[in-house]
Amino acid sequence: RAWGETPEVAEALAEVRSADAALTIARAERKPHLDLSADAGFWGSDTSRLVPLELKALHSDATFADRIRRDAGYSFTLSLTWPIFDFGAIRARVAQADHSLAQAKQKAEVVLSVLSKQTTIAEACRRNGITETTFARWRPQPMSTWQI
């Protein structure tokens, strides 16, 4: 099985991607933001009828199209925001995201290193005919008993 398919490696790489995305978002906070919003509706007060009574009183043959011509309203808003005085808040969020990315990368390196060592040990055991149960029972001797 390839290393990239193991759950530990997949998790570590997903954490790196997530931290990288968080850093991109934190850096984007420094840039100006342009927002556009639109709203449409009826200015009239009677929303329970398609054709309000006061419109029917003025024109007995009034239709919904007449109401749209009379009461339809809309608005558009365009706003530009650019953080100028944030007293270092954005810089702190960028630094935090950068630190999280470094930690995630370091964790991924550790996971890959451990997996590489486990693979090397498993291959050596297989070459030497050592089974998993024999390897599990093997205990290294403490350094104090080593003879130099």
Side-chain angles (χ1 to χ4, degrees), residues 14-73:
E15 285 179 16
V16 169
R17 286 191 302 273
S18 174
D20 190 42
L23 180 59
T24 301
I25 290 169
R27 285 182 177 154
E29 289 183 45
R30 287 187 254 183
K31 299 176 182 175
H33 298 272
L34 186 63
D35 296 313
L36 173 67
S37 62
D39 187 24
F42 289 115
W43 292 104
S45 60
D46 188 0
T47 58
S48 62
R49 295 178 178 80
L50 290 176
V51 181
L53 293 178
E54 73 270 3
L55 185 59
K56 280 279 196 189
L58 290 173
H59 306 288
S60 60
D61 60 340
T63 63
F64 182 66
D66 295 322
R67 179 181 187 178
I68 290 175
R69 278 191 291 279
R70 185 189 84 163
D71 292 342

Side-chain angles (χ1 to χ4, degrees), residues 89-131:
I90 293 174
R91 193 176 325 121
R93 284 191 290 274
V94 169
Q96 180 182 11
D98 193 34
H99 180 69
S100 295
L101 177 60
Q103 280 184 323
K105 285 181 177 179
Q106 188 175 25
K107 179 182 176 184
E109 288 174 12
V110 168
V111 167
L112 288 171
S113 174
V114 167
L115 192 59
S116 173
K117 288 177 183 167
Q118 287 175 344
T119 303
T120 303
I121 290 171
E123 288 173 356
C125 289
R126 187 179 42 82
R127 276 194 310 271
N128 295 319
I130 299 172
T131 63

